[in-house]
Amino acid sequence: KHSIEQKNSIAMRHYGEYLYESNSKEDRLKSIEYFKRSADRLSIESMYTYVRIFLTGELIEKDEKEAEKRIKEIDENNIREI
């Protein structure tokens, strides 16, 4: 939790993954917030997860515009998988 408060993108992504794997719909929805916060700090793994959630409509309503915005951000920042 301390690492998240320090805006550590890896900690945010891991916490998002933890919430995403939960059986609680509330926790799974909250995971999106952590994936977004991590993606805002240019975490490629979080960006891909965030885009997938919006493209598939998994957990929330499909939003292709939000997904396209993130895909464009990945391209503009020349972010590639490691």
Side-chain angles (χ1 to χ4, degrees), residues 42-56:
L42 304 180
S43 164
I44 189 67
E45 294 91 351
S46 294
M47 285 182 166
Y48 284 142
T49 302
Y50 191 74
V51 165
R52 187 189 77 240
I53 289 170
F54 279 92
L55 280 178
T56 63

Side-chain angles (χ1 to χ4, degrees), residues 2-19:
H2 177 71
S3 294
I4 291 170
E5 291 167 0
Q6 296 296 317
K7 300 182 181 176
N8 180 309
S9 66
I10 295 169
M12 287 180 206
R13 178 175 51 88
H14 285 297
Y15 191 60
E17 290 169 349
Y18 170 77
L19 293 172

